[in-house]
Amino acid sequence: MDLRVLGAHNAESKETRMESHLIDGVLVLDAGGLTRSLTFEEQRGIDAVILSHRHFDHVRDLLPLGIGIRNMGKTVDVYAIPDTIELVTEKLLDGSLYPDFLSYPSPDNPVFRLHPVEFFQEFQVLDYRVTAVPVPHAVPAAGFQILSGETNLFYTGDTGQGLSDAWEHVSPQVLLTEVTFGNEEEGRAIAAGHLTPKFFEETMIDFKDRKGYLPRVIVAHMNPPWEATVRRELKEVGERLSLDILVSHADMRISI
Ligand SMILES: [Zn+2]
Ligand SMILES: [Zn+2]
């Protein structure tokens, strides 16, 4: 599996892009800094999009992606839990901002086709077996286990404390997760449903207690003002747990 990190932050600037990842050039995980990271040719190679939840930094590039691929005669399948599908249908792709990409250019062959998914029900996306698992966040949110051959990736999207239930359902080799704030901002992290390095460490200890191993970890969704602190505090976590933690950045390519 080729994982290309397109955006590894929760806010956009000249130096940072919002969260988005591309698997094997065809499958997108969240549509934050998606289109600004890809050529039109690369955008046209996308066949499916998985959205973790309704927040703007994870869904917004569906619109420019629609513009980028609208004349191809291609339909891109979009998968998400019903709460996210509702937001996309009623707010983002309702035709008020851009053409109605759910029925344009024709109802039989629209730019996007939405697929609501149920938690714990495995579904097939291209060559991948995918399962949505609830994760704790400020709004209904899903993590996704993605299986391809021998590769088992779990993408949490945005998550706060309390991933223990998720560990009952997935056993990833590779965990693609978030750490948004530094430890000093614990209150903000709890209120917004995000991880700090300390919360991340606790969830990894819990993971190891339940499963007897630790996965390879890739971290994204940093809040830019906290990035240096998060990196420093995560380095200490990695040393304490003897854990390989890769703090990602936009345009990083990772073979998994
Ligand atoms: Zn986010
Ligand atoms: Zn969020």
Side-chain angles (χ1 to χ4, degrees):
M1 199 183 274
D2 171 55
L3 174 69
R4 187 168 160 190
V5 178
L6 305 180
H9 290 85
N10 69 348
E12 185 176 85
S13 67
K14 196 172 174 184
E15 289 88 24
T16 60
R17 288 179 230 146
M18 293 180 183
E19 181 144 29
S20 187
H21 308 277
L22 181 63
I23 293 179
D24 297 331
V26 293
L27 173 62
V28 170
L29 304 180
D30 279 337
L34 174 63
T35 48
R36 70 217 62 212
S37 305
L38 301 175
T39 64
F40 283 120
E41 193 183 343
E42 288 168 334
Q43 290 178 33
R44 289 169 189 153
I46 293 169
D47 293 322
V49 176
I50 291 173
L51 301 173
S52 63
H53 66 296
R54 61 162 58 214
H55 281 154
F56 184 70
D57 53 324
H58 300 257
V59 302
R60 67 135 193 226
D61 271 9
L62 274 190
L63 281 175
L65 178 63
I67 290 291
I69 64 173
R70 69 186 154 166
N71 295 321
M72 286 181 64
K74 166 177 189 170
T75 295
V76 170
D77 292 304
V78 179
Y79 301 85
I81 56 173
D83 182 78
T84 313
I85 294 286
E86 179 188 295
L87 175 279
V88 169
T89 307
E90 294 181 3
K91 300 278 200 306
L92 201 62
L93 300 181
D94 65 343
S96 61
L97 297 168
Y98 262 164
D100 173 5
F101 289 131
L102 301 177
S103 60
Y104 171 94
S106 76
D108 293 338
N109 193 23
V111 172
F112 294 120
R113 187 170 287 123
L114 303 181
H115 304 270
V117 303
E118 301 285 328
F119 287 125
F120 312 123
Q121 302 286 317
E122 186 178 280
F123 56 100
Q124 189 79 24
V125 179
L126 311 172
D127 293 332
Y128 310 92
R129 289 183 292 137
V130 181
T131 306
V133 176
V135 297
H137 189 43
V139 297
F144 289 87
Q145 175 177 260
I146 298 164
L147 304 178
S148 172
E150 299 297 302
T151 305
N152 182 336
L153 168 73
F154 184 59
Y155 171 54
T156 66
D158 287 5
T159 183
Q161 290 175 289
L163 276 171
S164 303
D165 291 344
W167 303 149
E168 295 294 313
H169 299 278
V170 297
S171 298
Q173 300 163 319
V174 182
L175 176 67
L176 174 57
T177 190
E178 71 129 280
V179 178
T180 302
F181 295 111
N183 287 335
E184 258 179 68
E185 286 275 26
E186 192 168 296
R188 234 173 121 193
I190 291 169
H194 288 298
L195 293 176
T196 63
K198 176 171 164 244
F199 294 158
F200 167 77
E201 182 172 9
E202 287 166 1
T203 198
M204 286 293 95
I205 290 169
D206 182 41
F207 185 105
K208 192 170 184 189
D209 284 348
R210 286 162 188 269
K211 302 203 171 276
Y213 77 100
L214 285 170
R216 179 179 169 193
V217 174
I218 302 164
V219 166
H221 201 268
M222 282 165 294
N223 192 9
W226 283 101
E227 178 165 352
T229 306
V230 165
R231 284 178 178 274
R232 178 171 38 80
E233 291 174 347
L234 279 178
K235 191 161 178 280
E236 293 163 6
V237 173
E239 286 163 4
R240 279 195 291 273
L241 300 183
S242 299
L243 177 63
D244 175 18
I245 304 170
L246 178 64
V247 181
S248 67
H249 58 74
D251 296 327
M252 183 179 264
R253 286 187 95 133
I254 306 160
S255 181
I256 59 177

